[in-house]
Amino acid sequence: MKNTRKLLAGAATLAAGLLALTACSSGGGGGDAGGDSGGSTADAPAWCGPDEASVAFLDGYIVNGWRKIAAETGKIEAEKCPSVTSWETIDGQGDTQKAISDINGAVATGASAIIVHTASGEAVLPALRAAHQAGVVTVPYRDGVGGADGEDYDIWIGSDYVNDGRTFGNWITEQFPDGAKILFLSGPAGTTQGLDEKQGLDEVLGGDSKYEFIGEQPFEITDWDPAKTQQVLTAAIAKHPQIDVIVSDYGPSLVGALPEFEKAGRSIPALAASDGNVLGCFWTEHQADNPDFKLMTIKTGTDNIALAVQHAVARATGGEVPEETAYQSGIFEDSTSEDAPVQCEPELPDDIYLSSAALTGEEQAALIG
């Protein structure tokens, strides 16, 4: 098996940042973005206007590959607009007070726009509101901060987790038309990601009694931690003689736990999850010996930041504000379809996401080191 000793280490590193309510990103320093100041926008995207703007990306906790890849994706997107005179990435280091100070500091030093990926939830809302009231374009993204668009910040750019749940549900109905017992794993108790995904699953499956959700409801709590995921899954295997499909919004965290099925003399069941190189490679190595191991993944969302950048830059430079306000993941891999084969790059790190539209696997590997 590929990189056996690395699986839990790589997944655990990623989970740590997601457990901090998905809080990480790229390096902590600044960098120019946009080339020559005041360059022509004739060939630039419609969201790039003529007015110059400096942009700061404030990440609550830069701790893992996912966050580094996302931050670099944001910088790449900003560089498409020559009116963006600078891009700075600032790491909150998991410290709420530093994150608040970073927001205030970006305003004080003259940032035209700030994009915020919080690790502190609503604790940063007063600072966002103050920035918004000071006239700085303020765009929190992905993790909720409370408040309201147009009042506390310009706009929050999230990911459509309800639609992700529908995507999972539709795939389950296709693969299990006669019904299935479904185990749903998500993060900490009360996480909006898991609750929204369950809403989408229920919209598709909830009205049909032949689809049964087993285990804790609305989802099994794993904190997106590989060790806890293994505990939860081991207990579920012992308790439930039939598990037809597992749904997980953090697919890579399952890699260390899925062999528990084999230890129990059972085939690994079908899996609907988010993508990761470690998961694709695990399926590639194990599917031949596990006849029930179908795999469908959605894009893990490192590109979510690009939409947030577009909104921030459009408002700061006088460009055309995008109509889309939520990131749509979409199916990335489906082992049952020739149109979306499972992907694996065994020579590259576990902690990369081949669904990234902005960075190749090799570029991600160089970025995360």
Side-chain angles (χ1 to χ4, degrees), residues 40 79 85 114 130 150 179 185 237 246 256 293 305 330 360:
S40 171
E79 287 174 340
T85 58
I114 60 173
L185 284 66
I237 292 170
I246 298 172
F293 191 13
I305 191 174
T360 66

Side-chain angles (χ1 to χ4, degrees), residues 78-208:
E79 287 174 340
K80 296 176 182 178
C81 179
S83 298
V84 175
T85 58
S86 67
W87 168 279
E88 185 177 15
T89 298
I90 303 171
D91 180 8
Q93 299 175 0
D95 183 329
T96 297
Q97 292 306 310
K98 183 180 186 304
I100 293 170
S101 178
D102 288 342
I103 294 171
N104 295 335
V107 174
T109 55
S112 308
I114 60 173
I115 301 161
V116 178
H117 193 179
T118 183
S120 306
E122 296 187 18
V124 302
L125 183 59
L128 292 176
R129 185 184 302 118
H132 178 63
Q133 292 174 347
V136 176
V137 174
T138 307
V139 181
Y141 100 101
R142 198 162 180 90
D143 290 318
V145 294
D149 291 354
E151 296 180 12
D152 301 289
Y153 39 79
D154 285 79
I155 188 170
W156 174 69
I157 301 298
S159 182
D160 193 342
Y161 295 130
V162 175
N163 190 62
D164 290 344
R166 295 190 196 105
T167 300
F168 291 145
N170 288 331
W171 186 78
I172 291 170
T173 61
E174 293 171 2
Q175 303 305 317
F176 299 91
D178 297 326
K181 293 185 182 294
I182 305 158
L183 182 69
F184 178 31
L185 284 66
S186 188
T191 175
T192 55
Q193 180 172 353
L195 294 174
D196 286 355
E197 289 164 345
K198 185 58 162 58
Q199 177 183 330
L201 282 162
D202 285 341
E203 288 180 11
V204 176
L205 305 173
D208 195 332

Side-chain angles (χ1 to χ4, degrees), residues 9-330:
T13 300
L14 184 55
L18 290 172
L19 177 57
L21 299 180
T22 59
C24 29
S25 190
S26 130
D32 291 336
D36 295 337
S37 175
S40 171
T41 60
D43 298 323
W47 47 266
C48 174
D51 302 332
E52 292 186 358
S54 57
V55 182
F57 173 52
L58 300 111
D59 194 308
Y61 197 19
I62 298 172
V63 72
N64 58 42
W66 191 98
R67 293 293 184 143
K68 292 179 181 179
I69 294 162
E72 184 67 12
T73 297
K75 182 174 181 288
I76 290 170
E77 194 70 11
E79 287 174 340
K80 296 176 182 178
C81 179
S83 298
V84 175
T85 58
S86 67
W87 168 279
E88 185 177 15
T89 298
I90 303 171
D91 180 8
Q93 299 175 0
D95 183 329
T96 297
Q97 292 306 310
K98 183 180 186 304
I100 293 170
S101 178
D102 288 342
I103 294 171
N104 295 335
V107 174
T109 55
S112 308
I114 60 173
I115 301 161
V116 178
H117 193 179
T118 183
S120 306
E122 296 187 18
V124 302
L125 183 59
L128 292 176
R129 185 184 302 118
H132 178 63
Q133 292 174 347
V136 176
V137 174
T138 307
V139 181
Y141 100 101
R142 198 162 180 90
D143 290 318
V145 294
D149 291 354
E151 296 180 12
D152 301 289
Y153 39 79
D154 285 79
I155 188 170
W156 174 69
I157 301 298
S159 182
D160 193 342
Y161 295 130
V162 175
N163 190 62
D164 290 344
R166 295 190 196 105
T167 300
F168 291 145
N170 288 331
W171 186 78
I172 291 170
T173 61
E174 293 171 2
Q175 303 305 317
F176 299 91
D178 297 326
K181 293 185 182 294
I182 305 158
L183 182 69
F184 178 31
L185 284 66
S186 188
T191 175
T192 55
Q193 180 172 353
L195 294 174
D196 286 355
E197 289 164 345
K198 185 58 162 58
Q199 177 183 330
L201 282 162
D202 285 341
E203 288 180 11
V204 176
L205 305 173
D208 195 332
S209 60
K210 67 176 179 275
Y211 295 103
E212 178 186 354
F213 286 93
I214 57 178
E216 295 295 322
Q217 300 300 313
F219 52 77
E220 289 279 4
I221 298 168
T222 69
D223 295 338
W224 294 308
D225 174 67
K228 187 168 183 177
T229 299
Q230 184 163 353
Q231 295 174 357
V232 169
L233 197 51
T234 299
I237 292 170
K239 184 176 182 180
H240 303 288
Q242 180 181 349
I243 302 174
D244 296 306
V245 57
I246 298 172
V247 176
S248 171
D249 50 21
Y250 178 33
S253 71
L254 289 171
V255 167
L258 291 174
E260 295 299 319
F261 282 98
E262 297 173 312
K263 293 178 184 177
R266 295 162 61 174
S267 173
I268 297 172
L271 177 60
S274 62
D275 86 286
N277 191 43
V278 66
L279 181 60
C281 288
F282 181 89
W283 180 87
T284 300
E285 294 156 4
H286 288 259
Q287 56 88 21
D289 296 326
N290 291 270
D292 301 325
F293 191 13
K294 302 174 183 178
L295 176 65
M296 184 274 283
T297 66
I298 59 172
K299 299 174 184 178
T300 195
T302 56
D303 297 318
N304 194 164
I305 191 174
L307 183 60
V309 168
Q310 292 172 14
H311 274 269
V313 172
R315 288 168 167 81
T317 65
E320 182 178 321
V321 176
E323 294 183 3
E324 187 177 2
T325 60
Y327 173 75
Q328 301 291 332
S329 296

